[in-house]
Amino acid sequence: MSAHNRGTELDLSWISKIQVNHPAVLRRAEQIQARRTVKKEWQAAWLLKAVTFIDLTTLSGDDTSSNIQRLCCKAKYPIREDLLKALNMHDKGITTAAVCVYPARVCDAVKALKAAGCNIPVASVATGFPAGQTHLKTRLEEIRLAVEDGATEIDVVINRSLVLTGQWGALYDEIRQFRKACGEAHLKTILATGELGSLTNVYKASMIAMMAGSDFIKTSTGKETVNATFPVAIVMLRAIRDFFWKTGNKIGFKPAGGIRSAKDSLAWLSLVKEELGDEWLKPELFRIGASTLLSDIERQIYHHVTGRYAAYHDLPMS
């Protein structure tokens, strides 16, 4: 992971001038979705690259130490070794970028990864995930406890009401406190874009989050009615680009929620490459939050290698 974003002073004059050209954003999103994907060995190469961006996630009420252990094993060995050997990629150390769990399961994940002998980061959701409607004191303590238990990345949720009522100074102050509570852990700020009301609000919330010290901005919790979409992503990526041009700070981007197919992952990689450039296509600056995506990527790689699609029992579960 790259160095922390130290943030900047709150610049409300910049925020007040922001207007998003909604029709232009939608046209750009349609271009991305209509584009034909890469094929054959190029597709396999891009899919393996996509694996290294995945925050392999389980955020279920029935999570137990045993399924966290299984998740961590899958993170270390995301693609069957015989398939990697067929592609001459078995010695490249391909793993997922991180595992992402609830705060109460951080200890289980840290223990499982240590036992597996790997240093994959553990990310924890926090701050009253997914709604962010608990008291600020409780949200800050949740961050601190997750960090104490070994989480090195914290995915916080913002209080959406502050965006919907235009309280940008209050939002900035909250995220600054989240930043401080994270200590040395990296801060990934979930905007829950499906609940922000407009693309202009998405841009403003993105900019406030970066000014306040977020290392990543993330689209969604995965629990909203509408999660990661291309129009929202375009707005967030251009906010990241504008922030970089203004400050020189590179902020990461993480789409999450509803990204389930290998084809989807390729479209997301293509979008980031075109909007921000190749330098953002690394785990330090790009993640995909997903729980089922890896299974479909492995199925597609299996098909590329063998010429047939895998049965359910052919591939290990995550």
Side-chain angles (χ1 to χ4, degrees), residues 209-221:
M210 292 185 286
M211 288 179 182
S214 302
D215 298 303
F216 266 74
I217 52 175
K218 176 178 171 183
T219 61
S220 321
T221 66

